[in-house]
Amino acid sequence: MVRHYLVLAVKVLLRRKFFTFISLFGISFTLLVLTVIAAFFDHALGPGQEEPRQRRTLYMERTLMYGPHSTSGSSGGFKLFDRYARDLPGLERLSLHENARTVHTYLDGRKISSTLKRTDDEYWRILEFRFVEGTSFGTADVAEARFVAVINVATRDRIFGGWPALGQTFEADGQRFRVIGVVENVSSLRSVPYADIWVPYTTAKTDAFKREITGDWSAMALAKDKASMAAIHEEFNSRLLRVELPNPRDYQALVAPFETRLATFAREMPLADRKDPDSQVWRFVGLFTLLGLLFVLVPAVNLVNINISRIMERASEIGVRKAFGAPARALVGQFLVENILLTVIGGAVGFVLSIFVLQGVTDSGLFKYAHLTVNLRVFAYGMAFAVLFGLISGVYPAWRMSRLNPVQALKGGSR
Amino acid sequence: MIQLKDIEKVYRTDRIETVALADVNLTVAEGGFVSIMGPSGCGKSTLLNLMGLLDAPTKGTVQINGSPIASYSDRAMAALRNRDIGFVFQVFHLVTDLSVLDNVQIPLLYRRMSNADRRTHAEAALDRVGLSARMHHFPSQLSGGQQQRVAIARAIVGKPRILLADEPTGNLDSQMGDEIMSILATLNREDRTTIVMVTHDQQKAAQTSRIVRLFDGRQVN
């Protein structure tokens, strides 16, 4: 039966070339946009090469202090994590890193700008970089504040002309570092692993940061297992009540939750309640789903209209099928097969287009080192969108058509 | 086989009410070959649609094989149509995008049957109407008479006990019309298929075993 439906669907689509083109254009464009957005999300927030342990890692990137009249948002301070997070129950590792910032290297009269991140040795144990030379800095390097650095391939190319850099020195931010490792470039869209240069945090010019509750630091907490993640979140929140806030007259509460990667992102989105330490993911998912549905709604309604006229043209066929005993369910199934075929073709076209668009974005260099690709997961999202789209835009016309009175249908479809 | 009792069919719009059928009482026995005659607009096709369960009467009861249809759900009626009733229409109503073979298989799609069985049945039905050689053609490649023969093959492929034909020769020249009548007569004689046929043509009606005449929605004999 499905073969019969598919044969008919292909013939109808080929016969009505203009309708087919309009439908395919709407579907593929919509799916193109959705697939590109999904690729961005996947690239920025999914468990990528450098974050293989993301599923049991919690992140703390933004704090919020508030009182009756004031609120203040910033990253965390070193002291906040150092004093309150190191011995959290269920914690396997804790890593702190200063937010990446731009530093300059002057070489033969040229100014080379790079992004530098000061961090600790645990950073390299939680994350997983691909080293092309040397290795990362260890506990002793950090403890003894050795001026060593890991750089990425792009920085090696810019500073050392692409030659092996191990053991070479370079100046950044007015300090001279010795290269002990070179890693593959990491996309700037992945905020935690991304940098051009990584150095031990103890090489900072001042240690004033060690006394700050809020500041320019973020933390990664690797839980022993998934079950420990909630305990880490809860315990740190309860410890925050004991934190002495820098300006207690203005601020009485501090929100600084350890959260999943998606939750840290969701916290910064519209509609998120930043004063609530609990996950804001559901609000984000709700908002995103709503926007997604609205975005899909316009072409879907359009497709519904096209489908209705396309289907009503075939009223006599519907009349014949009903006369010969087609139950409503079979007719709905037939037209859904047609519609899903159309949307899957549209999905495939949109998918191929999105490969080109993502390649264009990658080539444009708009996002440093970002290599956006449509991977299998995104492909699955795309196809799921396509099928959902097919269902959304096909169910109503198919249902309406299946309810046609057979006599009216045989006469041409007007009720 | 088919029993219509005190049938009335009224079409209502916002402004007017049209009585299409009134006081119709008709019984068609199993194996009968009945023609319905009357001027245009007298309710012939409406009557055929009621017998075929394509429409419901405003008043009265329709019984097929002794069961009153009013109590049937849409699904049960669809199943009954699929199993027991075949239709032949004046304008053939073939699906232009499907081959002759696929058109003939349509009623079998709604039965539990393998593709191979469906195909075998459809080929046999086409053989009966003499169109085996054209099974891979499309309707537009056939003459009117051939298209109507395909429509008959489609109507009989499921071996229904009742065949309802709405002016099956109305769009055909006399020779083709005779061919179609000959096929219907054979089905009635050899398979004991009960046939009800709407026609304008006195000569064709004379080939059936009984003529029912309608005028302004009422039986006149």
Side-chain angles (χ1 to χ4, degrees):
Chain A
M1 189 190 265
V2 173
R3 188 199 68 88
H4 174 93
Y5 290 168
L6 284 174
V7 166
L8 186 58
V10 169
K11 284 182 180 159
V12 169
L13 295 181
L14 288 176
R15 183 163 51 87
R16 305 296 316 211
K17 290 189 180 70
F18 185 66
F19 270 172
T20 306
F21 170 75
I22 293 287
S23 303
L24 284 179
F25 179 79
I27 296 162
S28 52
F29 180 75
T30 307
L31 286 168
L32 164 70
V33 173
L34 292 175
T35 309
V36 167
I37 290 173
F40 266 95
F41 269 107
D42 190 56
H43 178 81
L45 301 174
Q49 159 69 32
E50 299 82 15
E51 295 175 83
R53 298 176 192 91
Q54 198 192 55
R55 292 192 194 287
R56 58 185 176 101
T57 306
L58 293 169
Y59 301 80
M60 214 321 288
E61 295 185 342
R62 297 286 297 170
T63 67
L64 184 81
M65 287 195 298
Y66 66 92
H69 307 295
S70 317
T71 54
S72 166
S74 73
S75 290
F78 187 89
K79 183 181 168 185
L80 178 70
F81 305 121
D82 193 43
R83 182 158 166 198
Y84 296 98
R86 290 221 182 267
D87 60 344
L88 285 167
L91 191 68
E92 185 175 314
R93 296 182 188 284
L94 180 79
S95 167
L96 312 183
H97 64 263
E98 195 184 19
N99 294 342
R101 60 197 178 89
T102 304
V103 295
H104 305 295
T105 300
Y106 295 92
L107 198 72
D108 303 331
R110 282 184 302 132
K111 185 170 94 171
I112 299 170
S113 298
S114 311
T115 305
L116 180 135
K117 191 173 264 179
R118 293 182 192 273
T119 184
D120 55 19
D121 46 312
E122 293 287 31
Y123 183 82
W124 305 99
R125 296 185 188 109
I126 297 176
L127 301 177
E128 202 75 58
F129 288 82
R130 277 174 292 186
F131 277 84
V132 295
E133 285 185 55
T135 185
S136 58
F137 43 83
T139 312
D141 294 314
V142 175
E144 293 170 25
R146 291 175 189 157
F147 282 81
V148 291
V150 174
I151 61 174
N152 65 4
V153 168
T155 306
R156 181 181 69 176
D157 291 347
R158 285 199 300 259
I159 297 179
F160 301 107
W163 292 96
L166 215 57
Q168 307 269 12
T169 62
F170 68 99
E171 201 180 281
D173 201 20
Q175 296 175 313
R176 184 155 285 276
F177 295 95
R178 182 169 53 86
V179 177
I180 59 163
V182 179
V183 294
E184 294 283 6
N185 299 332
V186 178
S187 168
S188 59
L189 290 169
R190 301 192 69 92
S191 64
V192 175
Y194 165 70
D196 289 314
I197 302 167
W198 296 261
V199 300
Y201 74 88
T202 44
T203 59
K205 290 171 183 169
T206 151
D207 64 357
F209 67 87
K210 291 186 176 172
R211 296 184 286 280
E212 289 173 353
I213 290 295
T214 61
D216 213 13
W217 288 74
S218 298
M220 260 187 302
L222 180 66
K224 282 181 180 144
D225 46 48
K226 283 195 84 169
S228 306
M229 293 168 82
I232 292 172
H233 173 83
E234 291 302 329
E235 176 61 21
F236 191 68
N237 282 347
S238 70
R239 290 182 184 187
L240 290 177
L241 299 173
R242 306 203 305 263
V243 174
E244 288 172 28
L245 297 181
N247 192 348
R249 269 215 316 218
D250 290 338
Y251 306 113
Q252 276 95 56
L254 173 64
V255 182
F258 270 100
E259 296 182 300
T260 61
R261 194 75 202 87
L262 180 62
T264 58
F265 180 79
R267 184 164 291 279
E268 300 306 309
M269 290 292 107
L271 294 187
D273 179 2
R274 294 180 180 81
K275 291 180 181 172
D276 180 356
D278 288 335
S279 173
Q280 301 295 303
V281 167
W282 63 272
R283 283 181 193 247
F284 166 69
V285 170
L287 175 71
F288 193 71
T289 307
L290 186 70
L291 290 177
L293 284 178
L294 285 176
F295 181 70
V296 170
L297 189 68
V298 175
V301 166
N302 207 12
L303 204 59
V304 166
N305 275 328
I306 291 177
N307 278 340
I308 288 175
S309 51
R310 190 165 62 89
I311 289 171
M312 290 307 161
E313 275 189 352
R314 292 161 66 191
S316 89
E317 179 194 332
I318 295 160
V320 167
R321 288 180 186 277
K322 292 199 108 173
F324 282 106
R329 206 176 49 182
L331 289 169
V332 170
Q334 178 190 342
F335 285 92
L336 279 185
V337 165
E338 282 189 21
N339 219 44
I340 287 174
L341 177 74
L342 183 72
T343 45
V344 166
I345 294 172
V349 172
F351 184 72
V352 171
L353 289 178
S354 61
I355 291 174
F356 286 109
V357 168
L358 291 172
Q359 189 59 48
V361 172
T362 299
D363 293 345
S364 74
L366 203 60
F367 304 98
K368 227 169 147 188
Y369 316 137
H371 188 72
L372 291 160
T373 51
V374 183
N375 63 21
L376 276 180
R377 187 155 8 117
V378 175
F379 179 74
Y381 294 154
M383 280 336 246
F385 279 136
V387 172
L388 183 72
F389 202 70
L391 286 173
I392 291 173
S393 60
V395 163
Y396 173 69
W399 172 81
R400 210 180 118 175
M401 163 281 308
S402 75
R403 291 178 59 84
L404 272 183
N405 173 308
V407 175
Q408 296 298 333
L410 285 166
K411 284 180 182 165
S414 58
R415 268 185 175 237
Chain B
M1 178 104 268
I2 305 171
Q3 193 173 35
L4 304 181
K5 215 169 170 184
D6 302 328
I7 291 294
E8 187 178 303
K9 179 67 184 176
V10 180
Y11 292 106
R12 291 192 177 92
T13 63
D14 293 343
R15 293 184 179 177
I16 53 168
E17 202 169 76
T18 310
V19 178
L21 290 172
D23 296 330
V24 174
N25 287 282
L26 177 65
T27 301
V28 180
E30 186 163 3
F33 193 172
V34 177
S35 52
I36 302 171
M37 291 197 74
S40 293
C42 71
K44 304 184 296 292
S45 296
T46 304
L47 185 61
L48 203 69
N49 290 337
L50 294 179
M51 289 184 193
L53 316 181
L54 298 179
D55 211 348
T58 312
K59 273 186 196 163
T61 55
V62 178
Q63 290 191 8
I64 304 283
N65 300 328
S67 316
I69 299 308
S71 60
Y72 278 45
S73 65
D74 279 356
R75 205 170 156 181
M77 273 207 278
L80 186 61
R81 280 200 298 268
N82 182 256
R83 197 177 56 239
D84 287 343
I85 306 173
F87 295 89
V88 178
F89 307 100
Q90 182 180 3
V91 290
F92 324 135
H93 283 311
L94 298 177
V95 181
T96 51
D97 290 309
L98 291 178
S99 69
V100 163
L101 188 65
D102 284 335
N103 263 288
V104 174
Q105 289 185 49
I106 285 177
L108 305 181
L109 291 173
Y110 310 112
R111 294 184 183 184
R112 286 184 185 280
M113 195 180 268
S114 69
N115 281 339
D117 282 352
R118 264 203 294 273
R119 191 186 164 103
T120 309
H121 279 77
E123 285 173 359
L126 281 167
D127 196 38
R128 282 204 79 175
V129 298
L131 273 181
S132 294
R134 302 291 175 116
M135 66 171 83
H136 298 300
H137 285 60
F138 285 85
S140 58
Q141 297 170 303
L142 304 179
S143 69
Q146 288 170 327
Q147 290 190 46
Q148 194 59 299
R149 282 196 272 159
V150 174
I152 292 173
R154 178 178 64 186
I156 62 170
V157 72
K159 299 192 172 28
R161 296 157 72 193
I162 301 167
L163 188 64
L164 303 176
D166 192 355
E167 302 201 41
T169 59
N171 269 8
L172 306 176
D173 62 32
S174 62
Q175 191 194 338
M176 286 180 178
D178 288 344
E179 283 176 17
I180 297 302
M181 282 307 294
S182 157
I183 292 171
L184 294 180
T186 308
L187 285 169
N188 176 248
R189 194 176 56 245
E190 293 180 0
D191 297 6
R192 287 200 39 86
T193 305
T194 306
I195 300 178
V196 180
M197 175 180 81
V198 165
T199 184
H200 272 110
D201 187 330
Q202 182 66 48
Q203 204 186 345
K204 302 277 187 302
Q207 297 175 42
T208 65
S209 53
R210 180 182 165 198
I211 300 176
V212 175
R213 293 181 194 278
L214 291 180
F215 189 79
D216 280 351
R218 291 172 188 273
Q219 272 172 277
V220 291
N221 59 330

